[in-house]
Amino acid sequence: MSMPLRPGDPRSLGRFELLGRLGEGGMGSVFLGRGPDGRNVAIKTVRPEYAHEPEFRGRFRSEVNRARQVPPFSTAEVLDADPDHEPPYLVVEYVDGPSLAAEIRENGPLAGAALHGVAVGIATALTAIHGTGVIHRDLKPGNVLFARGGIKVIDFGIARAFEATSQHTRTDQMVGTVAYMAPERFDPSYGDPVSPAADIFAWGAVVAYAATGRTPFAGDNASATAIRILTQPPDLTGVPESLRPAVERALAKAPAERPTAREILDSLLAGGLPAATPTASVPGLAAPALAVRSGRSGKRAALAAALVVLLGVAGIGGLHLYHQLSTPAAAPFDEGAVPTASASVAPTVAVSSAAPAGSAAPGSTLSPSERNAAILRGSRKTLIHVAEIDRDLALDVEDSEVRAGDGTGLKSEFALDPLGVDYLIRSLRDPDEEDGDCLGVKIVLDETARLVPTECAATEATLFSLLPVGAKDDKNRPTYYLYNEKWGYVQWSDELKVIFVEVIGDAPPASTFSFVDRGDYPG
């Protein structure tokens, strides 16, 4: 299902009629369309400012032509494209089925034949993709769909046109999703960061997620996850023995130690790969190997500081924004039919290396950066400050919606519960309530989305990302955009005097948020 077209949206692109919106992000929009033959399609448009130069259009054309060569039996078929149109657009097969992310979120991890079928299906798709010289570059559960006849992998190849164009992707930005990125994507001293081996690493992470419901290197935030990918063995607890050798080999730190997609596929059909060598999974060996390759000291503190700069200060917004173009959203109140809903993989903020996870310094001894980091770890209570209006989110016991308040009382206190790289936002309005409420998104009668109290369970409506703005509020606190992957950005309407949630167009969100420390949170 799709959302209605907006005023100003095109009604057609080339020979395709536009029927509605499927999603939107920093690189463009995704529309539901219909071809002359009556077939539904997904049409991805690129924002003109990202496509004004000949270099980008040339790369876009080249990648589309290569993607067209990929056999469509296990991928979303590329049907048409016009790199010279204003805006450039790409037409692909519309797959009306849930994503692996939505399936795991709603029904839990896979097992048995279902899990094996997903592993085989993704390996088959990668074999086809790599066989034509294309690299996916953003394989994740949200890009794996359950379709009639089997698994379909979507959004392959086109990312290269963005990432290879210096105008659109700086040296401090990457295209992809942190939890599924190979070590060489963060540190090229491991090997070529743009090779099929990076997709193989992502295959291992996705299969582990399908088997366990969590990513094998999950940290409290994006930089912590990246550090674990670089320095720690994967947590494969719960991955069945029939798949574990292949997943272990796929998650090897060195690209040369990973099997090819064809080798994985053949092994799954024939009975399995041999186990990885013992050194590949011994804790502590990855960090010294990094030091040898890079010529640096190899100290984890230095690596952490570098990742904070890479992921938190400049690059994380670029990661998340491309992710949105590749992840269409579903219509309100139809969570069971989300065609390409993404898992909890949207990158979020980096925690300061001065405040390592697990530290619990008294509030009076925390520096401002440590205080903010502790809030993001979920160990401090917080006010969620709307910087533009100098007000704070509030949810009183009798309230059915979040409103802007004066920052006083329990109604204004919240705690962030990190969940992978996303957050549940827990209201502390009623200390006597055993489980409490978390904030979620709901469509109200006037057809706008609002923040409301709901059960503290990870769903598309309750998971939020924090996207660093790169600016400070009037108290010198870092500010963030508060983003829900399905419904959009949390904002304040000065006209209506309400907090609402909206998928926005090309303009940046109107509201930014900072966090005010309110003491220890033992939860």
Side-chain angles (χ1 to χ4, degrees):
M1 296 180 67
S2 64
M3 295 173 282
L5 294 173
R6 299 175 185 166
D9 281 342
R11 265 43 189 178
S12 65
L13 286 170
R15 56 195 177 92
F16 297 92
E17 175 189 5
L18 300 190
L19 305 177
R21 280 179 164 265
L22 292 171
E24 183 172 20
M27 294 297 181
S29 300
V30 187
F31 296 95
L32 176 65
R34 182 164 54 212
D37 58 358
R39 178 183 181 184
N40 281 354
V41 296
I43 304 175
K44 303 187 177 187
T45 62
V46 179
R47 284 169 52 175
E49 60 264 39
Y50 288 98
H52 69 280
E53 62 181 68
E55 180 189 3
F56 173 84
R57 291 183 186 269
R59 291 188 183 277
F60 186 84
R61 182 181 293 106
S62 173
E63 291 304 312
V64 166
N65 290 337
R66 294 170 69 186
R68 279 173 161 165
Q69 301 171 25
V70 177
F73 52 83
S74 58
T75 60
E77 182 180 7
V78 175
L79 303 174
D80 196 6
D82 188 347
D84 299 313
H85 192 273
E86 294 294 345
Y89 67 86
L90 169 71
V91 182
V92 299
E93 172 190 3
Y94 175 67
V95 182
D96 190 10
S99 69
L100 176 62
E103 177 67 21
I104 300 303
R105 182 165 52 248
E106 294 169 11
N107 299 311
L110 303 178
L115 175 62
H116 194 269
V118 166
V120 169
I122 302 173
T124 301
L126 289 181
T127 299
I129 292 169
H130 294 170
T132 57
V134 174
I135 303 169
H136 192 295
R137 302 164 75 87
D138 192 21
L139 180 65
K140 59 190 176 186
N143 283 338
V144 177
L145 306 184
F146 291 91
R148 290 183 180 180
I151 293 296
K152 291 272 189 178
V153 171
I154 64 170
D155 292 332
F156 54 90
I158 307 305
R160 183 182 176 90
F162 287 104
E163 193 165 41
T165 306
S166 59
Q167 173 71 19
H168 311 114
T169 305
R170 306 186 306 271
T171 55
D172 59 1
Q173 289 180 315
M174 296 171 287
V175 171
T177 305
V178 171
Y180 304 94
M181 282 185 177
E184 61 268 24
R185 298 293 305 278
F186 305 107
D187 185 347
S189 65
Y190 274 101
D192 182 1
V194 186
S195 76
D199 285 349
I200 299 304
F201 186 93
W203 176 89
V206 169
V207 172
Y209 169 82
T212 65
R214 65 180 187 280
T215 56
F217 299 97
D220 289 341
N221 50 70
S223 57
T225 298
I227 292 169
R228 290 185 180 186
I229 288 172
L230 284 164
T231 65
Q232 298 297 316
D235 178 5
L236 299 182
T237 305
V239 177
E241 290 301 321
S242 59
L243 289 174
R244 187 163 183 144
V247 172
E248 284 182 336
R249 291 275 303 276
L251 294 175
K253 304 296 184 191
E257 296 176 4
R258 300 173 205 148
T260 65
R262 168 63 69 180
E263 289 171 338
I264 289 175
L265 179 59
D266 290 346
S267 74
L268 293 177
L269 297 177
L273 285 166
T277 57
T279 57
S281 59
V282 175
L285 290 183
L290 174 64
V292 171
R293 288 191 184 96
S294 64
R296 297 188 296 271
S297 67
K299 293 182 179 179
R300 293 187 182 183
L303 178 60
L307 282 168
V308 166
V309 173
L310 173 65
L311 297 174
V313 176
I316 217 67
L319 280 163
H320 180 83
L321 290 176
Y322 177 77
H323 162 72
Q324 287 310 304
L325 175 60
S326 65
T327 309
F333 293 129
D334 193 27
E335 294 184 359
V338 178
T340 55
S342 150
S344 307
V345 295
T348 59
V349 297
V351 170
S352 164
S353 59
S359 64
S364 60
T365 66
L366 293 176
S367 69
S369 62
E370 291 173 327
R371 195 180 301 276
N372 195 67
I375 291 171
L376 299 178
R377 289 198 307 274
S379 61
R380 307 287 290 178
K381 295 180 287 186
T382 183
L383 305 183
I384 302 178
H385 188 67
V386 188
E388 286 71 21
I389 61 173
D390 195 25
R391 303 281 281 175
D392 303 281
L393 298 190
L395 184 64
D396 214 338
V397 173
E398 68 272 11
D399 288 343
S400 59
E401 289 182 15
V402 173
R403 55 187 176 84
D406 59 8
T408 63
L410 294 176
K411 65 180 182 295
S412 298
E413 292 189 354
F414 297 88
L416 300 180
D417 285 356
L419 196 65
V421 294
D422 284 344
Y423 293 87
L424 292 172
I425 302 176
R426 187 177 299 274
S427 171
L428 305 181
R429 64 180 182 174
D430 187 353
D432 296 326
E433 190 172 357
E434 183 175 349
D435 295 323
D437 291 317
C438 285
L439 301 191
V441 184
K442 180 180 179 181
I443 301 296
V444 297
L445 293 179
D446 59 359
E447 296 186 353
T448 62
R450 303 287 180 84
L451 284 182
V452 300
T454 188
E455 179 184 358
C456 287
T459 69
E460 288 178 330
T462 61
L463 291 173
F464 294 87
S465 300
L466 301 178
L467 309 181
V469 177
K472 301 291 184 68
D473 67 6
D474 61 342
K475 302 298 183 184
N476 205 35
R477 295 177 295 241
T479 56
Y480 305 87
Y481 296 127
L482 186 56
Y483 185 83
N484 176 272
E485 189 168 312
K486 181 173 181 179
W487 305 111
Y489 292 88
V490 178
Q491 301 191 80
W492 164 258
S493 171
D494 201 47
E495 178 182 0
L496 301 176
K497 307 300 181 186
V498 297
I499 298 290
F500 69 104
V501 186
E502 181 183 49
V503 175
I504 63 173
D506 293 343
S511 300
T512 62
F513 299 86
S514 58
F515 300 101
V516 183
D517 184 41
R518 279 295 180 265
D520 288 331
Y521 176 60

